[in-house]
Amino acid sequence: LCVFDLAAKTGEYSGANNPLCMVRNRELIKYKADRFPIGVFEGHKQQLFTNNRFDLMDGDCLYLFSDGYADQFGGPENKKFMSRRFEELLVEISTKPMEVQKEMLVRKLAEWKGRNDQVDDILVIGIKI
């Protein structure tokens, strides 16, 4: 869940399992997610999500995503794409217009996947301030 106050240039993020990644001036900033799923409670104790607050600057790119891109098998050794490689890709594309970023993500995934089947749902949401 993300909330933005563009007039105050602030944002808030709470998430399950996957972080929010912000790229500012080609530097990756990660806001951690909690390590439990949405809607599942252990025992009778309610699990509360961490609320991450952050400032926004013009040009910031924020990314929310499922684990599908990083978990896709492919490449020369038929291994997973992995989170580190995905984060490096986000930094690499962050200076481009959003439509170009989308095309680059789609193209890189197709190249990586090759003839492999897609193994999971893939969702990437990008927001440029």
Side-chain angles (χ1 to χ4, degrees), residues 76-102:
E77 298 178 26
N78 201 35
K79 294 189 174 193
K80 286 185 177 185
F81 196 78
M82 302 300 288
S83 296
R84 191 184 101 243
R85 186 178 286 120
F86 180 64
E87 291 166 1
E88 289 170 354
L89 178 59
L90 294 179
V91 171
E92 178 185 326
I93 68 174
S94 66
T95 59
K96 310 283 189 213
M98 295 309 284
E99 187 60 35
V100 174
Q101 290 187 38
K102 175 186 173 184

Side-chain angles (χ1 to χ4, degrees), residues 49-69:
F49 286 87
T50 304
N51 188 33
N52 297 280
R53 293 188 171 137
F54 48 90
D55 294 324
L56 297 169
M57 294 175 56
D58 289 341
D60 286 348
C61 283
L62 298 108
Y63 302 96
L64 298 158
F65 44 87
S66 67
D67 59 357
Y69 205 109

